[in-house]
Amino acid sequence: MKMRYKEYNLSLENSGPYGITAGTDGELWFTQHKANSIGRITLDGQLTYTKVPTADAGVLLITSSYNDELWFTENKGNKIGRLTSEGEIKEYPLPHEDSAPFGITKGPDGDVWFTETKGNRIGKIASSGEITEYSLPAGVAFPSYIVYGADGALWFTLNQSNQIGRITVAGNITLFNLPTENAGPVGITGGPDDALWFVEINANQIGRITLDGEISEYKIPTSHARPHGIATGPDDALWFTEWGRDQIGRITTEGEFKEYQLPTKSAEPHGIILGSDGALWFAQECNKIGRLSF
């Protein structure tokens, strides 16, 4: 498969692009945790930025919602942020201090769901700003990425307790232990096969969990790849970032791998998403946004 790679330099210096999502406007939106702002890049590479009101908020992951709005986590600011369709940012402090929100996704119930890495909770926020939280039954779990699955539940990675979690919209929680010790799951996404696919940053593996909890693991060919983000591509394969090796990886649902080297050294790719143009877009902490197309 021949791939075409293009990258866009960001005008804010050393901005630290991290999370990325496709907006309902068809463009790409991303966080810049060092520049404390939310960026927008059009499909032809035009860039705009919106500053986050809370200083050093630690904006990390971002998702689009159902009403042309963007929601994002403020890991250091202990808030959930909301960028309205009018370009205004609203912020919602979490009920508990030092919850450290990280992952975020729109839910099947119309609310936005998020993880609290230090709070050891899963939270949800309604469009009104009302927040509900659910404590995890594990110890120090460090819940990270979260996504909703084909079964209408929310699925999330537990980076430190080495588990995959599932929570229904009613708040019922189930945890699944990973076969590999200290695997360190991070990114997770819904696959084309109705299973959930995730990365194991410590074990250098890609994992798959079915809706009934059956887990498979696949070793990445390149050692020390440090996989981070993962998304389903236009070809019904799973695409993931290799933060440690400056590569983009691809795995089919049959477990076959291909890897693509990025031309920029120390690119540090993190979040990845399928754009409305059918290309893969990803945030590179080297201060660039990358695009891979067929």
Side-chain angles (χ1 to χ4, degrees):
M1 182 185 299
K2 186 177 180 180
M3 301 296 295
R4 294 184 294 273
Y5 174 71
K6 190 170 184 178
E7 60 185 17
Y8 301 89
N9 295 313
L10 302 184
S11 53
L12 297 180
E13 293 184 7
N14 192 31
S15 66
Y18 194 88
I20 190 168
T21 194
T24 55
D25 58 357
E27 313 300 351
L28 289 306
W29 295 78
F30 55 96
T31 60
Q32 301 174 95
H33 71 95
K34 295 179 182 178
N36 208 52
S37 66
I38 304 298
R40 175 182 183 266
I41 183 169
T42 64
L43 299 181
D44 60 359
Q46 301 300 308
L47 290 155
T48 52
Y49 307 96
T50 304
K51 200 74 175 176
V52 174
T54 297
D56 194 26
V59 289
L60 289 183
L61 296 186
I62 186 169
T63 188
S64 60
S65 68
Y66 299 95
N67 53 356
D68 299 327
E69 297 183 328
L70 285 301
W71 293 76
F72 53 93
T73 52
E74 300 184 22
N75 186 260
K76 295 181 181 178
N78 210 54
K79 299 174 181 178
I80 300 299
R82 175 188 184 190
L83 178 58
T84 69
S85 54
E86 291 80 29
E88 177 187 2
I89 286 185
K90 297 181 179 180
E91 297 174 299
Y92 304 90
L94 296 185
H96 301 88
E97 293 183 4
D98 198 26
S99 293
F102 184 82
I104 193 165
T105 188
K106 61 182 179 183
D109 55 352
D111 292 335
V112 172
W113 291 71
F114 56 93
T115 63
E116 299 179 17
T117 54
K118 293 183 180 178
N120 218 45
R121 290 178 289 266
I122 303 298
K124 70 174 182 177
I125 182 168
S127 57
S128 63
E130 181 183 0
I131 294 173
T132 306
E133 296 174 307
Y134 304 93
S135 295
L136 294 173
V140 180
F142 207 86
S144 301
Y145 276 67
I146 186 169
V147 70
Y148 73 85
D151 58 349
L154 289 302
W155 293 75
F156 50 94
T157 53
L158 297 174
N159 180 262
Q160 292 185 9
S161 64
N162 210 50
Q163 297 169 309
I164 301 299
R166 177 184 183 271
I167 183 170
T168 67
V169 293
N172 299 315
I173 296 172
T174 308
L175 303 182
F176 303 91
N177 295 321
L178 296 183
T180 301
E181 293 184 6
N182 193 33
V186 188
I188 188 170
T189 192
D193 54 356
D194 287 345
L196 287 300
W197 290 76
F198 55 94
V199 304
E200 298 177 359
I201 194 169
N202 294 337
N204 209 57
Q205 297 180 147
I206 302 299
R208 174 184 183 269
I209 184 169
T210 64
L211 298 180
D212 58 4
E214 181 181 350
I215 296 172
S216 305
E217 295 173 310
Y218 306 89
K219 200 75 175 179
I220 297 171
T222 299
S223 62
H224 307 293
R226 306 287 289 171
H228 193 273
I230 188 168
T232 297
D235 55 349
D236 286 341
L238 288 304
W239 293 77
F240 57 94
T241 53
E242 298 185 14
W243 172 70
R245 289 294 191 175
D246 298 326
Q247 296 184 144
I248 302 298
R250 174 184 182 269
I251 182 173
T252 67
T253 53
E254 291 76 35
E256 297 177 357
F257 282 96
K258 286 188 178 179
E259 295 170 293
Y260 301 88
Q261 185 69 50
L262 299 178
T264 300
K265 293 183 179 180
S266 301
E268 296 188 24
H270 286 290
I272 186 169
I273 198 74
L274 176 64
S276 61
D277 57 351
L280 280 303
W281 292 76
F282 44 94
Q284 300 178 157
E285 203 161 5
C286 67
N287 219 46
K288 298 178 181 182
I289 298 297
R291 178 182 183 272
L292 269 179
S293 60
F294 298 92

